[in-house]
Amino acid sequence: MPDPHLTDLIERLTSGIVTPADLDLLREALRTGQIAIVTGERAVSLGGSADGAVIVTGDHNQIIILQGNAATVARELTEPSPKPPAVCPPNPFTPLSGRITNPTHIFDRQREVQQALDYLRSGSSVAFIGDSGVGKSSLLTLLKERAETELGRTPILLDMQKLHSEDDYYEALCEEAGIATVQGGWKLERALRGRRLLLLLDEIEKMTWDGFSHNLRAELRGLAEGEHAPFKLALVARSPLDRLFPDSELNTSPLAGICQQINVKPWNNATARTFIQQRLSGTPVHFSDGEIELLVRSSNGLPLRLMQSAFNLYRTKTSGDV
């Protein structure tokens, strides 16, 4: 005889009052072979209808013919549970613009950073020179992270693109240094006396705009020159500093005179390929050799351009549009 609990359960099903807990028990009964549910031609051959369903107990001594909603529920019990949609990892080719602020997301460039640290330890300031999108600004992130431990200097990073005048510059600088706002070389030098700071200036081209004068650049040199000067500088520019700030035909640009310039070059083919493969590792997405070759060639080795193109290709592959 069938399990009385199972008989009660089937009776509740036929009456249309099953609960979610009842459905779980029915699924378990199906899984263990205590009951079978048949539909279609097999149900008709057992006395049911084409639209109904038939429950047969495990020992085949009881057949229950279901109709209406009870048959619908029974048929749904025989259908495999839908698989949850595959979740693809987030697109690994980010960020798409701006300075990378997380040091762990910066690929390669250890040679340039080590060169900058060597120059800074020797008492010089540095300037990273290279094309837009080559990754110069992100190098400031790496220097900022290592300034305290490897240089014994407190880093201050200013994005000149956000500053529109010398007043903005002094206010931002003094706020980051933790001092009252002062202007003028000797006042600022007195306020910073005894401090050891690494001033990282992004988008230094902004100092060529109206609102920024030669005096400010000369002041920066004074604050960064000498063994006990409060500042050492790390600058980012697209052009060499003597070309960027041609202050006088007779005098070298103040900033060019104290900064060792480090050329930041585009990635070569091997580095660009390694970057793509590293970012794809841990994802189910695969780029073909031809796709990688096209990405590398079209980017001209510029990390930002390569990142943007690879992001779009990854998005296409994971959206099912290929």
Side-chain angles (χ1 to χ4, degrees):
M1 294 295 292
D3 185 332
H5 296 294
L6 183 57
T7 300
D8 292 342
L9 185 60
I10 295 172
E11 287 179 357
R12 289 197 296 274
L13 173 62
T14 59
S15 65
I17 57 173
V18 288
T19 65
D22 288 336
L23 293 178
D24 289 338
L25 291 173
L26 283 168
R27 290 189 185 94
E28 180 64 15
L30 274 168
R31 188 187 69 80
T32 58
Q34 297 179 71
I35 62 172
I37 297 177
V38 296
T39 59
E41 293 181 0
R42 177 62 175 152
V44 172
S45 70
L46 292 174
S49 69
D51 295 326
V54 173
I55 289 182
V56 183
T57 59
D59 57 6
H60 293 183
N61 65 356
Q62 187 177 11
I63 295 177
I64 300 98
I65 299 173
L66 304 176
Q67 303 291 339
N69 184 63
T72 300
V73 172
R75 285 196 299 270
E76 290 176 351
L77 287 172
T78 65
E79 296 175 357
S81 300
K83 294 182 179 179
V87 178
C88 192
N91 197 313
F93 296 100
T94 57
L96 297 180
S97 62
R99 178 173 53 87
I100 298 176
T101 57
N102 185 338
T104 64
H105 292 168
I106 299 174
F107 184 78
D108 196 48
R109 300 307 187 196
Q110 292 305 315
R111 183 187 66 83
E112 289 88 345
V113 172
Q114 191 58 54
Q115 188 177 359
L117 289 169
D118 290 342
Y119 281 138
L120 289 163
R121 288 192 196 98
S122 74
S124 294
S125 292
V126 296
F128 295 114
I129 308 298
D131 294 334
S132 179
V134 81
K136 305 181 302 298
S137 296
S138 297
L139 290 170
L140 297 184
T141 296
L142 295 177
L143 278 183
K144 181 181 179 182
E145 181 194 36
R146 299 169 67 172
E148 292 274 11
T149 56
E150 300 194 35
L151 299 173
R153 290 184 174 273
T154 301
I156 294 176
L157 195 156
L158 299 182
D159 183 354
M160 295 299 297
Q161 194 64 32
K162 299 177 181 178
L163 308 178
H164 303 290
S165 67
E166 291 190 10
D167 288 343
D168 286 350
Y169 164 80
Y170 282 113
E171 184 176 347
L173 174 62
C174 293
E175 180 179 329
E176 291 294 323
I179 61 175
T181 301
V182 293
Q183 296 191 18
W186 71 270
K187 292 180 182 179
L188 189 55
E189 184 174 8
R190 183 176 61 183
L192 295 173
R193 192 166 297 159
R195 303 283 296 276
R196 288 174 55 81
L197 305 172
L198 177 64
L199 180 58
L200 307 117
L201 295 179
D202 199 2
E203 297 287 348
I204 194 68
E205 283 88 355
K206 188 66 177 290
M207 282 193 174
T208 64
W209 292 19
D210 291 340
F212 296 93
S213 67
H214 166 82
N215 289 337
L216 180 60
R217 299 190 288 274
E219 176 187 298
L220 266 178
R221 178 184 181 123
L223 291 169
E225 193 170 31
E227 183 178 355
H228 301 293
F231 284 150
K232 291 304 172 191
L233 306 176
L235 314 178
V236 163
R238 288 185 290 274
S239 302
L241 298 183
D242 54 354
R243 187 188 311 163
L244 186 62
F245 303 117
D247 295 305
S248 167
E249 294 182 0
L250 301 177
N251 297 315
T252 303
S253 164
L255 296 180
I258 62 168
C259 290
Q260 299 294 327
Q261 301 192 42
I262 300 172
N263 292 323
V264 183
K265 298 180 180 179
W267 283 337
N268 60 30
N269 188 288
T271 300
R273 285 175 169 273
T274 302
F275 166 75
I276 293 173
Q277 297 293 3
Q278 184 189 79
R279 287 294 177 98
L280 287 177
S281 65
T283 78
V285 176
H286 173 74
F287 290 179
S288 69
D289 287 341
E291 288 170 334
I292 293 176
E293 176 62 29
L294 180 60
L295 289 173
V296 173
R297 188 170 63 250
S298 63
S299 70
N300 292 322
L302 295 175
L304 179 59
R305 192 180 300 174
L306 180 63
M307 185 87 78
Q308 293 168 342
S309 299
F311 177 93
N312 290 331
L313 179 58
Y314 185 95
R315 184 180 59 182
T316 298
K317 284 180 173 288
T318 54
S319 67
D321 293 337
V322 292

